[in-house]
Amino acid sequence: MGVGIVHEETTDRARRQAVRRLALAASAAALMLAGAVVTAGSSQADLSLGGVPRATCVAGDPVETGTQGRVPAADYTSGRARQGYRCNTVQVGHHGKRSTLGSGGYKVQRYTDATGRTCAYYDSALMVGLNLPGLLTGGAGLGVVVLDMTDPAKPVRTANLVTPAMLQPHESLLVNEERGLLAAVMGTLATAPGVLDVYDISQDCRKPRLRSTTLSGVMGHESGFSPDGRTFWTAGAAGFTLTAVDLTEPRRPRILHTKTGVVYHGLRLSDDGRTMYVANIGSPSVLTGGLLDGAGLDILDVSDIQDRRPKPTIRTLSRLTWEESSIPQVAEPFTSGGRRYVLEVDEFSDLFGDFTRINSPKSPVGAARIIDVTDPRAPVVVSNVRLEVHDPLVRGDVMTDPGARMIVRSYTGHYCSVPTRDDPKIAGCSMIGSGLRLFDISDVTRPREVGYFNQPGPNGAAALSQPAWDLERGQVWYTDMDEGFFAVGLRGAAAALLP
């Protein structure tokens, strides 16, 4: 890369940062007038945007051939890509028709019922209709797929849930462990009427029992569940709503409160259900040339809802932003060393940053980060969780790869999860074109890569699902949009970090 190009990109970045700071200052002032405590910060100022240290793999693993997270064009030509890339991982089981559009979606959930039987649940398509080819050729089928995971090497499909929300849950499918409830709200890439489906899986996870289908979700896209299972939250995204639904009686969901004028994504709650960590998508602004203003993390006080107070109010405690944000997806809470953190992940690249050249070098890739939220009024980013393919300095090269030329098949983030909220040492992230990535987060300020599993198809990998953890068997489960459901076993340094 020439000096002139570097100078141009640096100058352009500085200009965009300055304009965005003006917009954020205006937003901060408005929130302060409303009585909120605001933190407008950036992880870009003093934290690297390059990849974390690479993993040390078990001898004989079919490792990546170059840049961390990359599947280069040469590997497609030679056939190496089809063999897959693995580091400290091994394929245990698989479900779904490989190389068939519509075998996996946005979420994988795990649940063990009252009899001790374990099941997996995953949505089978990014959008309704995309999984029809897979249905016709023996793929996963429609709606939410239910798998009996008694033998992870041989997942057995026991049901396809095809009620309205389950046919098109978008990113909202969630299981509540406490009460054995499976729920989703109808959603699309933008939003949809909030048809909410609630199933009971507590007695036999293989055969979910429908408890209700109602319009109580208001608008749908993403969701959240209070840990006690009494409140299901729906985020309407482009519907500009946040809705709390009482599921004390799953047969009769009841709307508790709807907040309007927000563009929220994934919603996660503290163990007591009183604090919510919200991925705030933000909104396009003329001031920043189309970039998303206010995109980042909102921390909300939702105790009025949790306590079922009349005329509840949802209070914004703080808002944190970062310069390199794309589209904040979700922030998973956890503790480490007596402090509270969230593992936040951004999806895709900033669609509004350079819409005419999606995923161009100038479109920022947020990837993931760890944020200290011990003081909910003053959150701070402590580290970035990124791969080398996310580095702005190499984007111009890697985005020419066959599996990185579309927004849904590119070197970007989408979902992360941790195996436990209590002092997890490992995290798993679906990073689309780079597959399932595993990170050592035992030192939250210095995350390291500890393994990966990437099985790209002819059009590249499309790992978009939130991973689920099977700790008893040392596995993590995820789906690829084309390749289907994978049960992945951990070994070596990765296995050593499991609880």
Side-chain angles (χ1 to χ4, degrees):
M1 183 176 290
V3 176
I5 297 176
V6 172
H7 175 73
E8 178 185 349
E9 289 188 355
T10 303
T11 303
D12 180 65
R13 179 186 296 175
R15 185 183 304 112
R16 288 161 56 155
Q17 289 176 359
V19 176
R20 179 177 279 185
R21 279 193 286 270
L22 288 174
L24 288 173
S27 174
L31 283 173
M32 287 178 179
L33 289 174
V37 176
V38 178
T39 302
S42 167
S43 65
Q44 189 170 354
D46 51 9
L47 295 175
S48 171
L49 295 182
V52 300
R54 296 189 183 192
T56 300
C57 308
V58 172
D61 278 346
V63 298
E64 293 172 334
T65 58
T67 303
Q68 182 188 42
R70 186 178 188 183
V71 184
D75 284 9
Y76 288 94
T77 302
S78 68
R80 171 66 184 86
R82 194 60 187 141
Q83 298 173 30
Y85 306 85
R86 293 180 294 280
C87 172
N88 296 328
T89 61
V90 61
Q91 180 176 318
V92 175
H94 175 262
H95 181 267
K97 186 72 172 180
R98 286 187 173 179
S99 301
T100 299
L101 186 64
S103 289
Y106 296 109
K107 293 280 182 69
V108 175
Q109 300 284 286
R110 178 189 179 276
Y111 181 73
T112 300
D113 64 26
T115 71
R117 189 180 298 273
T118 297
C119 296
Y121 307 90
Y122 71 93
D123 51 308
S124 62
L126 303 186
M127 292 183 290
V128 68
L130 281 186
N131 50 3
L132 288 176
L135 179 67
L136 297 174
T137 58
L142 296 173
V144 170
V145 180
V146 181
L147 297 179
D148 181 347
M149 296 297 289
T150 301
D151 181 359
K154 298 178 180 178
V156 177
R157 180 174 57 182
T158 60
N160 283 80
L161 307 182
V162 293
T163 45
M166 296 296 168
L167 272 175
Q168 190 170 317
H170 200 61
E171 296 169 331
S172 69
L173 183 71
L174 286 177
V175 163
N176 179 261
E177 294 280 347
E178 181 70 21
R179 300 185 63 201
L181 297 177
L182 173 71
V185 62
M186 182 185 289
T188 67
L189 295 175
T191 193
V195 179
L196 174 64
D197 292 341
V198 182
Y199 285 79
D200 186 337
I201 57 175
S202 62
Q203 300 307 304
D204 188 343
C205 64
R206 301 168 302 173
K207 302 175 182 178
R209 295 181 293 173
L210 180 64
R211 290 310 189 199
S212 59
T213 295
T214 65
L215 284 169
S216 54
V218 182
M219 303 298 288
H221 182 95
E222 243 277 15
S223 67
F225 230 137
S226 63
D228 62 14
R230 294 173 56 235
T231 313
F232 187 80
W233 293 83
T234 69
F240 311 113
T241 58
L242 170 67
T243 300
V245 182
D246 187 344
L247 290 187
T248 303
E249 174 48 67
R251 293 182 183 275
R252 289 183 286 274
R254 179 173 60 92
I255 297 174
L256 295 170
H257 181 69
T258 296
K259 179 181 178 67
T260 59
V262 293
V263 190
Y264 287 162
H265 220 171
L267 318 167
R268 298 295 181 266
L269 291 104
S270 58
D271 288 346
D272 61 9
R274 303 170 70 84
T275 304
M276 179 181 283
Y277 306 101
V278 179
N280 188 342
I281 296 177
S283 56
S285 169
V286 175
L287 280 176
T288 57
L291 286 169
L292 291 170
D293 282 346
L297 174 74
D298 281 16
I299 302 182
L300 308 181
D301 177 352
V302 295
S303 55
D304 282 8
I305 301 294
Q306 184 67 14
D307 296 340
R308 298 299 191 262
R309 294 175 184 167
K311 299 181 180 179
T313 298
I314 295 175
R315 304 169 183 85
T316 301
L317 299 177
S318 61
R319 174 170 295 169
L320 178 68
T321 65
W322 39 90
E323 296 286 359
E324 73 281 6
S325 68
S326 46
I327 303 174
Q329 176 65 56
V330 74
E332 295 287 346
F334 69 97
T335 63
S336 181
R339 299 187 68 82
R340 295 185 180 91
Y341 298 90
V342 294
L343 173 57
E344 192 279 337
V345 61
D346 285 7
E347 69 170 347
F348 301 142
S349 57
D350 187 348
L351 294 179
F352 302 95
D354 188 351
F355 192 79
T356 60
R357 291 190 294 159
I358 292 175
N359 281 336
S360 76
K362 292 185 179 181
S363 293
V365 175
R369 60 202 48 77
I370 296 174
I371 305 171
D372 188 327
V373 295
T374 305
D375 180 353
R377 295 184 181 274
V380 60
V381 177
V382 297
S383 62
N384 285 332
V385 183
R386 303 172 67 88
L387 303 175
E388 291 170 8
V389 290
H390 302 145
D391 191 331
L393 297 179
V394 306
R395 295 294 285 178
D397 294 328
V398 302
M399 295 312 295
T400 61
D401 294 337
R405 296 171 182 170
M406 295 186 293
I407 187 63
V408 295
R409 299 178 190 277
S410 54
Y411 297 127
T412 59
H414 203 263
Y415 268 110
C416 293
S417 68
V418 290
T420 174
R421 286 190 171 190
D422 300 324
D423 289 297
K425 306 301 181 186
I426 190 171
C429 296
S430 288
M431 288 186 161
I432 309 188
S434 303
L436 174 70
R437 315 302 295 199
L438 300 170
F439 299 97
D440 180 346
I441 59 169
S442 52
D443 181 347
V444 295
T445 65
R446 294 179 178 86
R448 305 175 59 88
E449 184 182 56
V450 73
Y452 51 80
F453 183 97
N454 191 12
Q455 188 66 50
N459 298 314
L464 292 105
S465 77
Q466 175 180 303
W469 298 82
D470 186 333
L471 297 181
E472 295 177 4
R473 292 175 282 205
Q475 297 170 13
V476 60
W477 304 341
Y478 84 107
T479 63
D480 180 281
M481 182 174 72
D482 291 348
E483 302 295 291
F485 170 94
F486 290 98
V488 178
L490 275 58
R491 58 181 185 163
L497 294 172
L498 290 173

